[in-house]
Amino acid sequence: MVDDTKIEPRALAGTWHFERDIVDRLSGSTKKVFGETTISDAGDGRMRWYESGTLRDGDVELPVFRTLFIAKRGLEWAVTFEDGREFHDWAPGEEVEHLCGADTYRGRIDITAVDGSGWAVVWTVTGPSKDYTMTTHLARP
């Protein structure tokens, strides 16, 4: 078993293929996202986490993308949104939480191989109008 609490985000630099399932318990539907994630040095001490892909919801396909940053905070790392707002601690192997208005996001990053060749991110989101789990599997191309 990998001690993923020891893996820094720099170890995940490079390009990844990802597949994501979004299981919505309110609607009873599952959406799929597939695409590419790139983690790279942002040049300012942060790592840039960029995702682009396609969301498939039944017969509908939509382009999706987002940018996050992983920034050093003292001896630790933290994930921020593109605009600099805090998202969550970089704590692979541990549950993290993000409050967004009335919604609660509980997540976990699991690194599945010591060489960083595979990892997963799982978010469970609950709130007055949300109840879904989003599972992303990432692998080297």
Side-chain angles (χ1 to χ4, degrees):
M1 191 61 162
V2 176
D3 182 3
D4 52 7
T5 61
K6 305 284 189 227
I7 301 210
E8 289 195 358
R10 289 184 281 239
L12 301 176
T15 301
W16 300 87
H17 288 302
F18 77 86
E19 293 185 13
R20 177 176 296 143
D21 290 327
I22 305 168
V23 179
D24 188 329
R25 287 176 287 282
L26 294 178
S27 69
S29 68
T30 299
K31 297 172 183 66
K32 301 269 188 189
V33 183
F34 53 93
E36 191 170 273
T37 296
T38 303
I39 296 182
S40 59
D41 187 334
D44 57 3
R46 300 180 301 164
M47 300 298 292
R48 182 176 184 258
W49 177 343
Y50 178 74
E51 295 181 350
S52 64
T54 302
L55 168 72
R56 184 175 294 145
D57 185 5
D59 293 335
V60 176
E61 289 190 356
L62 300 168
V64 294
F65 58 90
R66 74 171 177 175
T67 301
L68 301 170
F69 287 94
I70 312 166
K72 194 84 166 172
R73 300 281 191 260
L75 297 175
E76 304 298 323
W77 292 85
V79 179
T80 67
F81 292 104
E82 186 174 16
D83 64 8
R85 290 177 297 125
E86 297 293 324
F87 187 13
H88 61 84
D89 292 338
W90 175 262
E94 299 176 19
E95 185 175 281
V96 296
E97 184 176 272
H98 173 73
L99 303 176
C100 183
D103 302 322
T104 301
Y105 290 68
R106 286 190 177 84
R108 182 179 171 109
I109 297 170
D110 286 309
I111 313 298
T112 55
V114 175
D115 65 359
S117 62
W119 52 302
V121 181
V122 178
W123 286 101
T124 299
V125 183
T126 56
S129 60
K130 294 181 181 177
D131 187 8
Y132 65 87
T133 299
M134 186 167 55
T135 303
T136 305
H137 294 279
L138 299 102
R140 294 285 188 197

